Amino acid sequence: MQAAPSLSSTAPRRVAVLGAGIVGLSTAWQLQRDGFEVTVIDRARPGQGASFGNGAQLSYAYVQPLADPSIWAQLPKLLFSRDSAFSLRLRLDPQQWAWGLRFLAACRADVSAHSTAELLRLAEESREALQRLLADTQADCDFQASGKLVMFGSEASFAAARRQMDLQRRLGGAEQHALSLAECLQVEPALAGSGAQHVGGIYTPGECAADCARLCDALHGVLQARGVRFVIGDRVGGSAGALRREGDRLVAVQAGERWIEADAFVAALGTGVAAFARQLGASVPVYPLKGYSLTLGVPDAPGLAPQVSITDAQRKVVFARLGQRLRVAGLAELAGHDTTLDPRRVAQLRRSAREVFPLACSGNDVQAWAGLRPATPTAVPILGQVAGAPRNLLFNAGQGALGFTLAAGSAQRVSHLLQGAVGRARGVAVSRSVAVPAA
């Protein structure tokens, strides 16, 4: 990969992080730890966007992109079925059509394999970086390293999963095992109620889960106590006039009535990052994928609710244990920026939960949520500079459904880029950029 050009003619010490989801907060934590003066700006309270109700899985080993050759055979269903786990709801939106065409262009075996390799590298960095973050902050977020089972409902899909597992093994992925149904039930007895629906699974013992919203709350408190400034409640740079540039540098952004100056900026604005980039004359291929989740209270009796994280590959639904709660999440709609809770989709998710864990998910203690995952067509996030944008602006965006998983590693890479700019300004040797290329 090519080293990024200099971010600034002087060492950037003051950094403004735009966005207070798990990606932005992880970035703020990493930058503060690495010696930068950090300001975090967001119009919403930390962790209130896609971070609030995500699938809760930290899926370091299972990172296969959504853009896959199998999409072509599924395309009629994706366009016309109202119950498809992944659906395309076409709108009169040029950004949606442009993203969709790039997504379809990425549905090739070679692109999928390359994206998988990129994501595995970033995921392993993220595993190590999150361990450091949790050790440093002692955040109470229902973290558990209980492993994950991905369950398959047909021999064909199970065979495809074994091929993907073999690919990831060749790429240096984490330890994984293909298990028979009987072996899966030994790992997670709570699957017994739906065992007849599955033929086998891929088990990854090193996978983890945690409550992302609680981690965001904890990070907010820790960072404030360490001197990180938070500007919360005002929209960031709502128009081109709310951004001040001097030549090829961004010098300040407007948040409400205030102007926030910094030496460098990091755009971690989730699904808002594409509009922000357009204000600056740049383009980033990030578009929302709408997802849903349920958070359920689970019974105390052992063996009814899962301890291991579960992904039902046929239904495209994930299950993650969070203390005495179970997070059930899934579905993906390419449907614009609408966050409305669709009762039909909520019912679909509840039905899936009852079918997979009938003894654990029959109650009425349910919190439903819908949110927007900021996705690139290839699933590889955009980390670093973007052509046409100010040179002291870095992007940290497009992690999609892997936002929680990739947040800590993405933050580490962005900090490395800024530290490289500091080194260049001081005339010392720096390492090559590790930024992930744009989709």
Side-chain angles (χ1 to χ4, degrees):
M1 298 178 187
Q2 296 297 316
S6 176
L7 296 171
S8 173
S9 58
T10 60
R13 299 310 308 169
R14 300 174 303 161
V15 182
V17 177
L18 314 180
I22 188 58
V23 172
L25 291 171
S26 298
T27 302
W29 173 82
Q30 186 70 55
L31 291 173
Q32 194 274 338
R33 183 175 183 267
D34 291 337
F36 293 92
E37 299 174 19
V38 182
T39 299
V40 178
I41 311 170
D42 204 320
R43 63 178 174 180
R45 190 165 64 85
Q48 293 303 293
S51 301
F52 184 79
N54 62 23
Q57 291 186 350
L58 292 158
S59 186
Y60 302 115
Y62 210 87
V63 295
Q64 183 177 11
L66 187 61
D68 179 87
S70 64
I71 289 293
W72 290 103
Q74 302 174 46
L75 198 55
K77 181 179 180 181
L78 302 183
L79 286 168
F80 302 114
S81 172
R82 294 182 58 82
D83 296 320
S84 174
F86 174 39
S87 60
L88 307 178
R89 302 285 179 262
L90 298 181
R91 297 174 177 270
L92 296 176
D93 179 353
Q95 277 72 46
Q96 185 197 51
W97 283 78
W99 189 96
L101 290 172
R102 294 183 74 163
F103 172 79
L104 291 175
C107 292
R108 306 197 318 263
D110 60 332
V111 175
S112 180
H114 177 76
S115 298
T116 297
E118 293 279 2
L119 292 168
L120 282 173
R121 283 192 288 270
L122 182 55
E124 187 55 35
E125 294 173 30
S126 295
R127 180 200 300 275
E128 297 171 358
L130 183 62
Q131 289 172 351
R132 289 191 292 271
L133 184 153
L134 293 175
D136 174 61
T137 62
Q138 295 296 300
D140 181 8
C141 58
D142 288 319
F143 177 85
Q144 62 174 22
S146 56
K148 181 168 86 167
L149 269 170
V150 182
M151 302 299 297
F152 298 91
S154 72
E155 292 293 349
S157 62
F158 191 25
R162 293 195 296 271
R163 290 193 294 272
Q164 178 70 15
M165 183 185 70
D166 291 339
L167 168 65
Q168 296 189 179
R169 182 180 292 123
R170 292 194 297 273
L171 293 171
E175 175 188 359
Q176 292 185 295
H177 307 280
L179 303 184
S180 67
L181 176 58
E183 291 169 327
C184 291
L185 295 178
Q186 289 179 343
V187 172
E188 182 46 76
L191 284 166
S194 60
Q197 303 172 29
H198 311 294
V199 299
I202 303 295
Y203 178 49
T204 311
E207 301 287 61
C208 309
D211 188 327
C212 187
R214 291 186 64 184
L215 179 56
C216 287
D217 284 342
L219 280 173
H220 182 204
V222 167
L223 291 171
Q224 276 190 315
R226 295 179 181 179
V228 172
R229 178 189 180 195
F230 281 82
V231 179
I232 300 298
D234 295 311
R235 186 177 178 186
V236 182
S239 66
L243 304 169
R244 287 181 182 164
R245 297 182 66 159
E246 291 181 359
D248 60 357
R249 296 181 66 249
L250 181 64
V251 297
V253 299
Q254 188 174 21
E257 300 299 319
R258 290 170 284 191
W259 282 93
I260 310 300
E261 296 182 349
D263 303 314
F265 297 81
V266 178
L269 291 163
T271 56
V273 75
F276 178 76
R278 287 195 294 273
Q279 293 171 24
L280 293 163
S283 176
V284 294
V286 173
Y287 198 79
L289 282 179
K290 185 177 183 179
Y292 291 80
S293 77
L294 308 175
T295 305
L296 316 170
V298 295
D300 293 329
L304 301 183
Q307 295 292 336
V308 174
S309 290
I310 302 295
T311 295
D312 187 304
Q314 183 173 345
R315 295 177 175 85
K316 302 293 191 296
V317 175
V318 303
F319 302 83
R321 185 68 175 265
L322 301 173
Q324 285 305 113
R325 299 167 297 144
L326 183 67
R327 177 67 50 79
V328 184
L331 311 178
E333 296 177 349
L334 189 71
H337 292 264
D338 175 29
T339 58
T340 304
L341 270 173
D342 182 342
R344 181 181 54 82
R345 287 301 218 177
V346 172
Q348 182 180 352
L349 206 56
R350 291 197 67 173
R351 184 167 59 251
S352 294
R354 287 194 298 266
E355 290 171 352
V356 179
F357 295 108
L359 299 179
C361 301
S362 58
N364 295 315
D365 180 15
V366 179
Q367 178 185 357
W369 173 89
L372 303 177
R373 312 177 186 106
T376 65
T378 63
V380 178
I382 301 166
L383 307 178
Q385 294 168 297
V386 169
R391 64 177 179 171
N392 64 330
L393 171 64
L394 300 183
F395 287 81
N396 186 353
Q399 286 83 359
L402 292 170
F404 191 14
T405 296
L406 301 179
S410 298
Q412 183 172 266
R413 289 192 179 189
V414 167
S415 183
H416 285 169
L417 290 171
L418 286 170
Q419 291 176 72
V422 171
R424 284 187 292 272
R426 292 175 178 169
V428 301
V430 295
S431 61
R432 286 159 56 92
S433 165
V434 291
V436 174

